[in-house]
Structure formats: structure tokens, C-alpha cells
Amino acid sequence: MKIAVCIKRVPDSETRVKIAADGKSLDEAGVKFVMNPYDEFAVEEALRRKEKAGSGEVAVICLGPAAAQETIRTALAMGADRGVLLQADKIPADPFEAARLIAAELKGASWDLILFGRMAIDDYNHQVGPLVAELLGMPCVTAISHLDIDGATGVAEREIEGGIEVVEFPLPAVLTADKGLNEPRYPALKGIMAAKKKPLEVKPVQPGAGALEVVALMPPPARKEGKIVGEGAGAVGELVRLLREEAKVL
Amino acid sequence: MTRVLAVLEQRDGKLRKVSFEVVTAARRLTDAVDAIVSDTSDREGCATAIAERAKAGGYRAVVFAATATGKDLAPRVAAKLGVGVAADLTDVAADSSGFLVTRPVYAGKALVKVKVTSQPVVLSLRPNVFTPDERAASVTPETVPVTGSGRVRVREIKAAPAGTLDVAEAQVIISGGRGLKEPANFKVLEELAHAFGGQAAVGASRAVVDAGWRAHADQVGQTGKTVSPSLYIAVGISGAIQHLAGMRTAKVIVAINKDKDAPIFKVADYGVVGDLFEIVPRLTEEIRKLHG
Ligand SMILES: Cc1cc2nc3c(=O)[nH]c(=O)nc-3n(C[C@H](O)[C@H](O)[C@H](O)COP(=O)(O)OP(=O)(O)OC[C@H]3O[C@@H](n4cnc5c(N)ncnc54)[C@H](O)[C@@H]3O)c2cc1C
Ligand SMILES: Nc1ncnc2c1ncn2[C@@H]1O[C@H](COP(=O)(O)O)[C@@H](O)[C@H]1O
């Protein structure tokens, strides 16, 4: 099994968002960066598939700044074989540009599976996986929470509103991972040591301008000051009155 | 005139509510809105058909709902048109040289305003944000035959038990967290949901989903669903930032928690401090009276 996993370096989900002086970007001072949590499911799945097949390769690909080498090392410590950093100072605001650069890197080789996360927790774009699939002309199943592979056929489950869709697809394919697919492993000390010696290729790339231009990054509208209605069951009457008369939702 | 193609979704032969939201938002951009209804069984063929229709019709924009189906379909169509998706939008406006759109980023901790100039522009809208107007229903959808490669096939849809409403679609959500103490106690929340007469769903925090008390489909938050109901009642949920990511755009938030310092009270419009096992049954009684 030859598997590629695309991973993104993102601010940790606990990050306090401070807007930079340009009014358009995140002030990165003091921000802790991690591997996008959904990409951890993708890396884990790739490792399990390779282990099951008994042979193969798991390559991780990341588009990002020089510091994203650290994110790649985390995946190598989990057990991936090699990494490629498509190095750019800034990740393009237009996801199509990111997809183009990633697709160009993946194009040369013949992968059995190319795995992505369902979405990146910073930009919430949920699209780089299917964009790359289209650019490569490969079948794609998004947001999978269960996967069975038998020879050249896969069956995946994905949550939709009101149920679960069971989808059949041929390999090679592009899949995007949702929570529930597996429990990602923590890198063991041995893995962390081994990761230092694994190949990590750095390739500078030049993202195009794209068609999405960030005009402003703003704090979300403050919710109007809430109130504590009261304590205990005795406050329920007043709560219901407020919901009817003030909020008008009942 | 600028023409916009709205992509609608149906279920059981009926247009979904979110589709009226899509039409309403599309009409904000132009008066010339055409609609096409997507078929969910052959996603690849469907994407090809929509992309071809979009090209042939010379549309300036194609608008989707950011539902499970829309999130899957929009990027496929966009890629075929050589562009990306401005995804999960909470506001859209036409601008002289393109479109000005707003979307939540960093788990809802910030909003980004983006100018989109691609040709065409592909947009997806966060469900439950755009209030459908009456005119939305007057659209005449068009049917286009799908002749796809059909490599990816939906083999089966395991429907949730009849009568259960998906949290992503409910107008009222009662969510429970670790404060419920054990899975069986979710019964008190189900009774409250029931009292709303079929328009309420029971949601959950990740803590109780990870513990196996509730299904992942019910999880609200960063690694669960993003919801914007009219009323969100958080019961025994502390209000971690990742939970807020999924529900802070609810119109009205009520928190019931025994800890008066719980962070959930910071985003709640109305809070009741105390033991949920006393408060919730009383609330259920009151709601029953109203809907009685
Ligand atoms: C990458 C990442 C992604 C995450 N994604 C999500 C996500 O999608 N959704 C999500 O919810 N979380 C998510 N989390 C987890 C999140 O950080 C919290 O751990 C989780 O939301 C806590 O769940 P809780 O509020 O149910 O439990 P707790 O934090 O334990 O809170 C329980 C609350 O119940 C109250 N309580 C106890 N007994 C009673 C009683 N008798 N009456 C009234 N109140 C009572 C307590 O005061 C407390 O506030 C994520 C975390 C990470 C790191
Ligand atoms: N800069 C990037 N480098 C590598 N993979 C990425 C990058 N951006 C997005 N991805 C992949 O695409 C998925 C979806 O991201 P997004 O479309 O940005 O929400 C992520 O989970 C990653 O697997």
C-alpha cells in the first residue's frame, strides 16, 4: 500500500485569537501550533492500512512555512516513512491555490490512497481533499468515519443529516477523515527518536495570488450581555417568561 | 444581468428548508436566480452535471448550502470550474468587482471578511443563518439528467430512527454534557425535547460522546456539528472553547449548570444556576403547558 497523507499545521484549538496589526491575520506571537486534529485521523488510518498490508509506504505532505517541519516530524514520529514540506511563507488564502500546489506534488507517483482531514480547524474550508481529487481525476469520498478495504474496492461510512451514508468506491481513491475513523496513536519515545533520521524533503513553492483576498479579520460580534435568571428550579418560571416575552423564541 | 445558480437539496421528494435559505441569499446577490436540485445518489455525476450547467448558463455565481451534501458537492463542482469555494458563509453581498463574504474561522473565535473575484464564484452558506423569505418558495427548479462515471456509489443510507431530528436541522437543541452523570439520565433531556413537539433535538458535548453515552452524530462543537438553532439549551456542559465553536451562532443560548463560574454562562443569554436534575424536569413541565 502506497499512501500519501496531507497534513496542515494549525493553531492549537485552545488558542486565544489576537488579531495582528495588519487587521487581516492572526497575531502568531505565543501561539502553539499543532497538526490539524482531523489529519491525525488520516495519518493513523494510513499507518494501520500499511501495517495490515504488511508492506508499503506512508508519505506525509505539508504546505506551509519552514516551522511546519515540526508538524511533519510529529507524523514521522507516529510512524510515517517520509515527509515533504512544500515551503511557502504563507499558506494561500484561496484553497484552490493550496490544492493546486498539493496536487502538483502528488501527481508524479501512483498512490493507492491519498488521505486528508475532513477540514482544517483554522480555516474551516473543508475542501482541499475533494479539490485535489478533482485535479487528479480520482474518485473521492469525504468525511468518512468508517473504512473497509477489500482488494481494489473500498466501503466507507459518512455521517449525513439524519443518517449514515454507506459508500462504495474503487481504489486508488482520495478520502477525507472524520472523527470516529480511529483513535490516533501518540508518538512513542522510540518513534520520536526514529523520526529524526527519516527523510524530510523541503521544496520551496510559489503560491499564486488566487481569487480570494482577505479584507479583514474581526472578532465575532459580541453576544449581548447575558443574565443569570436565578438559582434552582424556582427560576424556571422567570426563564420561560423571558424566553417568551423578551427573546420571543417560545 | 448577473445570474446566479442556486443548488438545492431534497429529501423524500421535498425541498429541504436549507434550500429556501440558499435561494433567499442568492436573491440578495441578484434578481436572476435559477435553481437546480441535486441528486444525492451519484455525487460525481451530479457534480459534473451542475458544473456543465453552470458553464453553459454563464452564471456569475453558484451557491450551495454547507450541509453534509453541500460540503461534499461544492468543492467538486468548484474544481471542475477551476476555482475554490468560499465556504460556510454567514454573510454575502455583491460588490462592484466580485462578492464580499464573511465566514467564521478559528473555531468561531474570529470572522474573516473576504473578497472573492473568481470566475465564477462558488459559495456555500452555513445552514440556519439566512432567514428564508416567502419569495424563496416561488422558485421553479430545473431537472438536468445525470450521466456520470458513477465511480463512487451510495450503497445504502442507514437512516436514523424515525422521528429523530438531526441536531444540524433542529430549531431547538437541548444538549447534555458530563453533568448528566450517566447515559440513562439523558432521558430528562429527551423528555424536554419531546415537550417542544417534534422541533427539538438532543445534542451532546464531546465528553459524553467520547464516553460512549451518545452518538457522534449528536456531538456539537469543533469536532462535531456546527449548529445555529433559534434556541440552544446547554445542560451540564462547562462551555469549553471547542464546544462553543459549534453553537455560538445560536440565536438564543440558555445554560443550566451548578457551577456559577462555568464558562458557558459567558456566552449564554439566560443562565440558571443549580442542579439540572431539579431544573430540567420543571422546565419540561412549563414547556408542556405552553405546547399542551
Ligand atoms: C481538538 C479538540 C476538539 C474538541 N472538540 C469538541 C467538540 O466538538 N465538542 C465538545 O463539546 N467538546 C470538544 N472538545 C472537548 C472540550 O475541550 C471539553 O473537554 C468538553 O466539551 C467538555 O465536555 P462537558 O462540558 O460535557 O464536560 P465538563 O467540562 O466536565 O463539564 C461538565 C459540567 O457539568 C456541570 N454539572 C455537573 N453536575 C451538574 C448538575 N447536577 N447540574 C448542573 N450542572 C452540573 C459542571 O459544573 C460542569 O460545568 C474538544 C477538545 C479538543 C482538544
Ligand atoms: N497547507 C496544507 N498542507 C497540507 N495539507 C493541507 C493544507 N491545507 C489543507 N490541507 C489538507 O486538506 C484538509 C482540509 O483542509 P481545508 O480544506 O483547509 O479545511 C486538511 O485536513 C488537510 O488534510
Side-chain angles (χ1 to χ4, degrees):
Chain A
M1 272 257 169
K2 200 168 145 68
I3 307 173
V5 188
C6 297
I7 62 172
K8 187 178 185 189
R9 170 184 184 262
V10 298
D12 182 86
S13 69
E14 298 281 348
T15 304
R16 280 188 184 283
V17 170
K18 216 179 130 223
I19 294 158
D22 66 0
K24 294 179 185 181
S25 57
L26 176 71
D27 180 350
E28 295 190 356
V31 171
K32 181 181 158 213
F33 283 86
V34 296
M35 187 193 314
N36 182 38
Y38 289 102
D39 304 352
E40 292 180 2
F41 300 122
V43 172
E44 178 63 35
E45 197 58 31
L47 298 174
R48 290 188 191 186
R49 294 290 147 192
K50 181 190 145 184
E51 282 158 12
K52 204 165 166 201
S55 68
E57 181 192 41
V58 174
V60 293
I61 289 137
C62 177
L63 165 66
Q69 287 195 32
E70 210 182 304
T71 317
I72 296 179
R73 290 285 173 210
T74 305
L76 298 178
M78 285 172 76
D81 300 297
R82 66 180 178 91
V84 178
L85 173 62
L86 304 174
Q87 191 176 321
D89 292 344
K90 272 177 81 181
I91 295 175
D94 186 343
F96 193 67
E97 280 304 309
R100 259 220 298 244
L101 294 166
I102 292 170
E105 172 60 27
L106 290 165
K107 205 158 203 160
S110 58
W111 307 99
D112 295 303
L113 285 175
I114 304 178
L115 305 182
F116 290 82
R118 165 167 81 102
M119 66 168 195
I121 64 161
D122 53 354
D123 63 27
Y124 270 56
N125 270 327
H126 45 68
Q127 59 181 287
V128 172
L131 289 178
V132 168
E134 286 291 336
L135 290 171
L136 298 175
M138 289 170 73
C140 172
V141 185
T142 60
I144 66 168
S145 52
H146 185 82
L147 176 66
D148 285 317
I149 292 178
D150 186 4
T153 306
V155 175
E157 289 187 2
R158 53 193 305 275
E159 267 175 23
I160 56 171
E161 289 86 4
I164 291 173
E165 220 173 53
V166 185
V167 182
E168 202 178 284
F169 62 93
L171 265 58
V174 171
L175 305 173
T176 79
D178 197 358
K179 180 176 180 250
L181 185 59
N182 52 47
E183 268 310 318
R185 67 194 68 184
Y186 287 103
L189 186 61
K190 209 171 124 223
I192 295 169
M193 298 310 288
K196 293 185 176 148
K197 298 197 198 78
K198 289 180 178 172
L200 196 172
E201 203 182 340
V202 178
K203 299 183 179 177
V205 291
Q206 282 299 334
L212 252 70
E213 186 203 334
V214 173
V215 178
L217 186 69
M218 309 164 288
R223 292 195 71 93
K224 80 172 175 3
E225 188 73 25
K227 57 180 129 188
I228 299 285
V229 177
E231 286 190 25
V236 168
E238 175 64 359
L239 172 67
V240 170
R241 189 191 69 78
L242 287 166
L243 290 175
R244 290 190 69 179
E245 293 171 16
E246 191 175 270
K248 299 192 166 57
V249 287
L250 291 183
Chain B
M1 185 187 297
T2 305
R3 300 177 64 212
V4 173
L5 183 63
V7 182
L8 313 187
E9 293 176 33
Q10 61 176 351
R11 189 188 294 155
D12 306 326
K14 278 216 276 285
L15 283 179
R16 294 180 55 191
K17 173 177 167 280
V18 72
S19 296
F20 298 111
E21 299 170 15
V22 169
V23 172
T24 303
R27 283 226 174 96
R28 270 206 220 166
L29 304 172
T30 177
D31 278 334
V33 177
D34 289 344
I36 191 165
V37 179
S38 69
D39 167 24
T40 49
S41 58
D42 176 5
R43 199 92 8 99
E44 286 188 330
C46 189
T48 306
I50 296 171
E52 278 167 9
R53 190 72 193 77
K55 274 186 215 162
Y59 292 100
R60 183 68 188 87
V62 186
V63 190
F64 292 82
T67 54
T69 301
K71 282 176 188 160
D72 187 84
L73 199 53
R76 297 174 194 262
V77 172
K80 289 179 197 294
L81 298 171
V83 302
V85 185
D88 209 16
L89 309 178
T90 53
D91 198 17
V92 293
D95 175 81
S96 54
S97 56
F99 292 99
L100 210 51
V101 302
T102 306
R103 47 195 308 270
V105 288
Y106 302 116
K109 285 179 278 186
L111 294 176
V112 67
K113 196 172 244 176
V114 180
K115 184 161 181 162
V116 200
T117 51
S118 57
Q119 289 284 356
V121 167
V122 177
L123 310 173
S124 74
L125 311 176
R126 181 170 285 197
N128 279 336
V129 171
F130 297 85
T131 312
D133 60 28
E134 319 80 67
R135 283 209 310 155
S138 71
V139 80
T140 321
E142 177 185 352
T143 305
V144 177
V146 169
T147 47
S149 60
R151 290 176 301 185
V152 175
R153 212 169 51 83
V154 176
R155 196 160 78 175
E156 181 192 349
I157 292 179
K158 296 186 197 164
T164 44
L165 185 59
D166 195 283
V167 287
E169 298 185 312
Q171 278 308 306
V172 177
I173 299 174
I174 328 285
S175 279
R178 197 143 37 194
L180 268 290
K181 304 248 170 3
E182 52 179 290
N185 291 337
F186 269 80
K187 193 156 175 291
V188 295
L189 303 192
E190 274 152 15
E191 282 167 356
L192 175 54
H194 193 72
F196 279 95
Q199 42 161 335
V202 174
S205 73
R206 172 163 167 181
V208 300
V209 170
D210 283 356
W213 299 3
R214 305 296 288 181
H216 180 244
D218 302 336
Q219 184 182 319
V220 172
Q222 189 165 337
T223 37
K225 288 187 174 140
T226 303
V227 299
S228 304
S230 317
L231 176 60
Y232 188 91
I233 307 183
V235 183
I237 290 180
S238 59
I241 189 73
Q242 297 91 352
H243 188 79
L244 303 186
M247 44 64 81
R248 70 188 311 155
T249 51
K251 290 187 184 76
V252 175
I253 299 172
V254 171
I256 299 172
N257 197 303
K258 69 174 183 193
D259 171 10
K260 69 169 178 22
D261 296 320
I264 190 74
F265 287 124
K266 294 218 171 65
V267 296
D269 300 285
Y270 304 108
V272 178
V273 181
D275 183 5
L276 71 93
F277 296 103
E278 287 169 19
I279 298 164
V280 177
R282 187 69 156 273
L283 182 57
T284 305
E285 266 173 48
E286 294 292 324
I287 300 294
R288 263 196 208 123
K289 275 188 224 156
L290 287 178
H291 287 254

